[in-house]
Amino acid sequence: MTLRNVERRWFRRLLRLYPREHRERYAAEMEESFIALLEWDQGTRGRLGTVARWMGATWDALRTGTALRLRGAGVDTTTMGGWEIMGTVLSDIRYAIRSLLRRPIFAITAVATLALGIGANASVFTVVNGFLMRPLPYESPEELLVVWSENHELGWENTDVNAADAWDWRERARSLDDLAIFNEDNFNLTGDGAPELVTGIRTSPNILRLLGKAPVLGRDFAEDEMGEGRDGVVILTDGFWQRRFGGDPEVLGSTLVLDNIQKTVVGIMPPDFLFLDEAPDLFMPWGSHPSTANRSNHNTNVIARLADGATLSQAREELAAVARQLAEEYPDSNAGWTTRVVSAHEDFLGDVARAASLVLLTAVSFILLMACVNVANLLLARAGSRSREFAVRAALGAGRARVLRQLLTESLVLAVLGGGLGVLLAQWGYRAIVAALPSTLPPVFQFGMDGTVIAYSLGITAVSAIVFGLAPALQSSSVPMLELRDGGRGGRGRRASRFGSTLVVIQTALAVVLLIGGGLLMKSMAGMRSQDFGFEPENVLTVRVSPPSSDYAAGEEVSAFWSAVEDRVLQSSGVEAVGTTQSHPLMGSNWGNSVRVAGPDGQPSAPQRVRSTWVTPGYFEALRTEIVAGRALTAADAVEGGLVTVVNEAFVSQYIASGTDPLRAYIVGEDGDPDIAIVGVLRNITERGLDDAPEPSIYGHIDARGVRTRSLVIRTAGPPRDVIEGVERAVWSVDPKLPLYSIETMPELIERRVGGFAVIGYLMGTFALMSLVLGAVGIYGVTAYSAQQRTAEIGVRLAMGAEGGDVVRMVVRQGAYRALLGLGIGLVAAFAMGGALSSILVGVSPTDPATFALVIGALSVVSLLGLWLPARKASRVDPVRALSAE
Amino acid sequence: MAANRRLKGHWFHILLSLADQTLHGTAIMEEVLDRTDGGLRLWPGKLYGSLKDLARAGWISEVEAPDGAPLEGGTRKFYALTPEGRLVLHEEVERLAALVRIAREKRVGTDGTHA
């Protein structure tokens, strides 16, 4: 159990609060009893319980540890009640609040700066917590696995699984407790009410049990409810039950007509049930026995649960071994196929969300650090004006520790105010981030301010107080007696300004890193939107229609239906061109197969992976694609078997030897099928994701395949959404029972794909801007303070005949040296951290010179401004007054 | 230490759990949790601080592990009541019993009429 190890590690840290002698004697036993306490609590409390337990353990360690240490130092703790300590703490807090109220502008500035920093952190952390830390909402979620198929010889990675293979894994692998197969499947729901396309999950009957979930009404599927004639039952999700039936319990036991087949509703899931990375309306058992599946078809998803005591790596090894057995038993279909096993959480999360979480969390903690540096700077400047106060207190007998404690209490009060306000801001902030997240996100990720977030916010608040409070407090409390003696000038100004200069260097470096990160991500996002898609995305509408097999069984019926639909849609007003395809660009589908390619010499290559798209000729016209060689498909190409194909440029560059005319190459027919001629080359179309390299693709005539469910791809004269009504009428004039679904314009699709990256980009952009402001304010503050400290010196220089310009140059030069140092450190850091960004950058190098140059320029201007303004002010000081102040 | 006339609540529970058996620290904590249905949780610091104090007061003492008890690599220390501890516990129980008797006479409690 890794979680327990983490808890043990943290508990050992707490143990340091106890005196060594006590620790040596009891540490092991205390750890054991703490774990026992956690275990005892496990069943009785939820997540808040975790926070409560840790708070309890921390309080316990603080109190007992302190008491034992005091006793060890000879203090009789029995007479010194806790109230006495509380009393001084309370009076410190009262004093701190009073002294903050005396300088409201300072207090408000400091609190607002901290609130921004802590608020931004809590917002981002709430989202990151939802992604990385909250367990999936299933029983023992850490045991859940996702299995994919892979065939490295054929170039297939992360591919869907074969159902028969999966069922063999389930039978043979002992490291698995259970395994379920499932697939998304759409059904036309007819009967009462408008026809509707519902999203179903076809699944083996064990999936809900595997997840540790059960219907709240009715029953789960029985173990044998699967396969031909035994799949006449459905379980509804709560969302669908509420939407379609208003939550009527009478629905249980009634029948639904799905694709013209009657199904009985046997169960209804509870409202809080979320299904993996999809949001289905209902569940239906697998339509055939998995063992009867053709082993060449890879079209199934798999989720599995580890057996008790088994590990992920055991499951990996065992499934790989089973896959090898299957490859021997079924060499024709299974040779080269192996498995890829990942934890379910990791699979749903994906690489981009994980990398983005860490990058954003780092960026936002830099913001907080910059905020702290600014507040430290404010405190330092303020300490200058309070030096007499400390000196008086010291003279009255306050020890250095006492003054230090007072100053830290003030920092803590500032931090708590800032933290409280920040958490309030974050309530709004995290909702804004979540609202902007793409709708394609798996619904199992839920976000909210839970105990973990509150604990984190408390933690960063406390750490901030120390970061910004300690150094100035140490400075201020160090030389109090000096102040009274020499009237408040002398050594301290020097030391404080040296300290302030260090802050400038840190801040400039942080700002450089944030600005470069933000700049790169903004550039990457802009690039995604304006990239060359290989077609013209404006004024394109896509609509999906799914004629059921019960009405359109034969291939000719399907072709006739679609050809009628295409004709009528083309006639409706505002439509310029129309085509159909099994999957349109950016829809996210992943059809593909392996082909062997031969050149004019007739020598076939090894099997190569291609993406296959089936289209009608109008598709190319509707998308306005560009044919770079040969011709596009025509109506005459709709022959059975599809003897001609169009390939894309990626296909040519990767699979056809350079120098060979692609139009003389062909795809080798397998199993006695005729060869397929290549008649044209198409410019690469962005098909899958905006961040994916173009895949070698072939485009064949769809009527050669008899694909039923298709997308209409429509080129419109005006705004695409204006033609929807006409398209509906056109489809319904052919078949009035068919629902139209997934109605989207191409720009909407692109925006949805950019979605997640846009959130990252805008957040990083915001942080970059914040860092620029914080950095400018910081540099200004430090320069102004140090110039003010040097008023007398400047006065002397001016009295000796220096020009105002000389003074400006002197102040600016000294500051510029530090800013340059910060810039250099920041550039090196940004360079070193570029690798972390590479997985979330698309089409931009992490060391993009243009971005680096822009950041250097922008930051130089801002720094110079932050130096020049206070320098100019200093140069205008009246030498007489400056000197008389001394 | 014995000057404490009234026994602290958690000390009483620790002594009580040792009344009829020899236990190690974690077992004491679990016994108290079970007996009070989670009402009294002896956090590690408090538990081992108390065991140290009770041993110093001479009310409990470290003893050999009972036969067959798992030792967890020798880190576990087992405790038993001393005669003096048993006396303190006895006195405390008597004091509590007297309190209950008075309360009952005033018809307060489970079998009284004041709900």
Side-chain angles (χ1 to χ4, degrees), chain A residues 187-199 240 243-244 257-260 281 544-548 551 728 731-732 735-741 743:
Chain A
F187 306 96
N188 289 321
L189 172 66
T190 47
D192 298 343
E196 182 185 350
L197 189 99
V198 298
T199 312
F240 178 62
R243 177 165 60 78
R244 178 83 190 192
V257 181
L258 295 166
D259 280 358
N260 294 337
D281 296 318
R544 285 184 69 81
V545 181
S546 184
D551 290 352
E728 270 176 351
V731 173
W732 288 339
D735 186 336
K737 288 205 306 290
L738 293 180
L740 280 66
Y741 63 99
I743 303 176

Side-chain angles (χ1 to χ4, degrees), chain A residues 18 25 32 41 60 71, chain B residues 41 45-46 62 76-77:
Chain A
Y18 295 91
R25 193 166 153 77
E32 183 200 343
D41 264 348
D60 174 52
R71 203 189 296 168
Chain B
R41 130 214 307 262
K46 188 177 237 186
E62 265 182 52
R76 279 182 177 168
K77 288 173 274 295

Side-chain angles (χ1 to χ4, degrees), chain A residues 449-586:
Chain A
M449 285 217 161
D450 56 17
T452 319
V453 174
I454 299 297
Y456 174 83
S457 308
L458 280 175
I460 56 172
T461 302
V463 170
S464 310
I466 294 168
V467 168
F468 73 72
L470 195 58
L474 284 173
Q475 284 263 332
S476 310
S477 61
S478 59
V479 277
M481 290 313 282
L482 214 65
E483 301 297 331
L484 275 184
R485 201 177 58 221
D486 74 356
R489 293 259 176 258
R492 86 167 298 103
R494 256 248 151 95
R495 290 180 46 157
S497 90
R498 199 180 315 136
F499 181 70
S501 311
T502 317
L503 297 187
V504 168
V505 174
I506 297 174
Q507 249 184 342
T508 314
L510 289 172
V512 169
V513 173
L514 285 172
L515 281 166
I516 286 180
L520 289 172
L521 278 157
M522 296 289 276
K523 187 167 179 181
S524 146
M525 183 175 67
M528 261 189 251
R529 290 212 176 98
S530 61
Q531 69 178 249
D532 181 1
F533 295 98
F535 61 90
E536 290 176 25
E538 290 76 31
N539 292 357
V540 173
L541 183 74
T542 61
V543 176
R544 285 184 69 81
V545 181
S546 184
S549 56
S550 53
D551 290 352
Y552 301 89
E556 302 87 71
E557 288 173 291
V558 175
S559 304
F561 165 82
W562 278 109
S563 134
V565 167
E566 247 186 64
D567 285 348
R568 308 244 173 123
V569 168
L570 194 54
Q571 282 159 23
S572 44
S573 75
V575 173
E576 289 190 340
V578 62
T580 66
T581 172
Q582 107 276 7
S583 78
H584 54 265
L586 300 174

Side-chain angles (χ1 to χ4, degrees), chain B residues 17-45:
Chain B
S17 64
L18 292 174
D20 53 356
Q21 56 196 332
T22 297
L23 293 173
H24 60 92
T26 303
I28 293 173
M29 179 206 77
E30 285 171 334
E31 205 269 345
V32 172
L33 271 178
D34 286 336
R35 181 149 46 73
T36 61
D37 200 19
L40 180 67
R41 130 214 307 262
L42 291 171
W43 295 97

Side-chain angles (χ1 to χ4, degrees), chain A residues 170-191:
Chain A
R170 181 176 189 251
E171 300 283 303
R172 299 185 196 183
R174 304 181 132 225
S175 53
L176 297 184
D177 181 43
D178 199 1
L179 175 151
I181 56 175
F182 66 96
N183 235 342
E184 195 182 303
D185 200 353
N186 296 324
F187 306 96
N188 289 321
L189 172 66
T190 47

Side-chain angles (χ1 to χ4, degrees), chain A residues 11 18 21-22 25-26 28-30 32-34 36-37 40-41 45 53 56-57 60 63-64 68 71, chain B residues 24-26 29-30 33-34 37-38 41 43-46 48-49 52-53 56 62 72 75-77 79:
Chain A
F11 187 73
Y18 295 91
E21 160 268 327
H22 190 77
R25 193 166 153 77
Y26 294 110
E29 279 192 277
M30 285 169 76
E32 183 200 343
S33 82
F34 178 66
L37 192 63
W40 195 89
D41 264 348
R45 298 199 197 177
R53 280 194 292 273
D60 174 52
R63 207 177 51 173
T64 321
L68 287 169
R71 203 189 296 168
Chain B
H24 60 92
T26 303
M29 179 206 77
E30 285 171 334
L33 271 178
D34 286 336
D37 200 19
R41 130 214 307 262
W43 295 97
K46 188 177 237 186
Y48 288 93
K52 194 185 209 174
D53 289 344
R56 195 183 291 176
E62 265 182 52
E72 296 293 306
T75 57
R76 279 182 177 168
K77 288 173 274 295
Y79 301 90

